[in-house]
Amino acid sequence: RKEVEQDPGPFNVPEGATVAFNCTYSNSASQSFFWYRQDCRKEPKLLMSVYSSGNEDGRFTAQLNRASQYISLLIRDSKLSDSATYLCARGSGGYNKLIFGAGTRLAVHP
Amino acid sequence: SQTIHQWPATLVQPVGSPLSLECTVEGTSNPNLYWYRQAAGRGLQLLFYSIGIDQISSEVPQNLSASRPQDRQFILSSKKLLLSDSGFYLCAWTTGGTGEKLFFGSGTQLSVL
């Protein structure tokens, strides 16, 4: 089993739709989790941290399910500008090393 | 505010040639520094990380090496590039705390031909 697994997609959704991505991880000791957004040929940019109690930032909601070892990202009211690849990451050991999934591609169409 | 600079943005090198990619961080001191590689259509693979000057840890055996000659400077090198070294190389930094967020430089697209 890969350390961090994501459905590669693509998820093709119309503007205004709600879309959710899941990301499973294999190390139950992980304490930190993140979602990053990556545009084509660009660096990943931090979208949001994922907290145990779940957290929301505007149209984006992240949740952590430790029992089932997955994190999720929900995007409401999708915009064309949300089209990108979404990477999940978990902390690995010390020194803030992050293990990334391969990403889920989202394409929002008019 | 903190910024991270990485160059060059694009590089085309022949097989067997040397490599040197540089990354510098501004606006912070004693950062943790990282080199990641992203092969086409794949996830980010951690190559090296450093918690201080001349303190380098390698995550995977490979044809590359890293050095940190100054607190905010991180260099990725190779003596002889292989075709398999092609990819998108990203430098990143974070503070030394636990669970801190990772921030990336703009990356270098390396093509080895």
Side-chain angles (χ1 to χ4, degrees):
Chain A
R1 182 180 178 182
K2 291 181 181 178
E3 292 199 66
V4 180
E5 288 198 74
Q6 296 183 252
D7 181 341
F11 284 60
N12 293 300
V13 302
E15 278 185 286
T18 296
V19 62
F21 311 134
N22 277 350
C23 168
T24 58
Y25 61 93
S26 59
N27 188 331
S28 60
S30 294
Q31 295 297 317
S32 55
F33 301 89
F34 305 91
W35 281 103
Y36 282 78
R37 171 198 167 122
Q38 186 175 26
D39 293 295
C40 189
R41 300 180 187 276
K42 298 289 187 182
E43 75 274 22
K45 294 187 177 178
L46 180 67
L47 182 63
M48 59 198 305
S49 304
V50 185
Y51 302 120
S52 296
S53 56
N55 48 297
E56 187 175 308
D57 183 1
R59 297 182 294 109
F60 299 85
T61 300
Q63 291 193 311
L64 167 63
N65 185 317
R66 288 194 181 275
S68 301
Q69 292 185 207
Y70 74 86
I71 63 173
S72 63
L73 178 67
L74 181 78
I75 305 175
R76 290 180 298 278
D77 189 23
S78 298
K79 311 291 184 189
L80 293 175
S81 58
D82 293 333
S83 298
T85 296
Y86 291 84
L87 307 173
C88 66
R90 68 161 182 85
S92 171
Y95 309 116
N96 292 314
K97 295 182 292 179
L98 293 187
I99 305 296
F100 285 84
T104 297
R105 195 154 66 88
L106 171 66
V108 182
H109 56 82
Chain B
S1 63
Q2 300 89 356
T3 55
I4 179 169
H5 302 280
Q6 188 181 341
W7 67 93
T10 306
L11 194 59
V12 180
Q13 293 284 97
V15 170
S17 64
L19 172 74
S20 181
L21 302 181
E22 190 165 340
C23 167
T24 59
V25 180
E26 295 179 355
T28 188
S29 59
N30 197 30
N32 288 356
L33 297 172
Y34 310 81
W35 279 110
Y36 281 84
R37 177 173 61 200
Q38 188 176 36
R42 301 184 66 181
L44 283 80
Q45 179 185 34
L46 179 60
L47 303 176
F48 300 95
Y49 69 95
S50 170
I51 62 171
I53 294 173
D54 294 329
Q55 300 180 66
I56 311 293
S57 296
S58 173
E59 288 292 295
V60 293
Q62 58 206 317
N63 184 42
L64 302 168
S65 62
S67 61
R68 185 170 176 176
Q70 299 180 45
D71 181 44
R72 290 170 288 176
Q73 182 186 31
F74 205 22
I75 298 171
L76 183 70
S77 304
S78 174
K79 292 182 179 177
K80 288 186 177 182
L81 284 169
L82 305 172
L83 287 174
S84 57
D85 291 325
S86 294
F88 191 40
Y89 288 82
L90 292 152
C91 182
W93 78 276
T94 186
T95 63
T98 301
E100 295 296 324
K101 300 161 189 174
L102 200 65
F103 297 96
F104 288 90
S106 55
T108 296
Q109 185 64 53
L110 172 66
S111 298
V112 182
L113 306 177

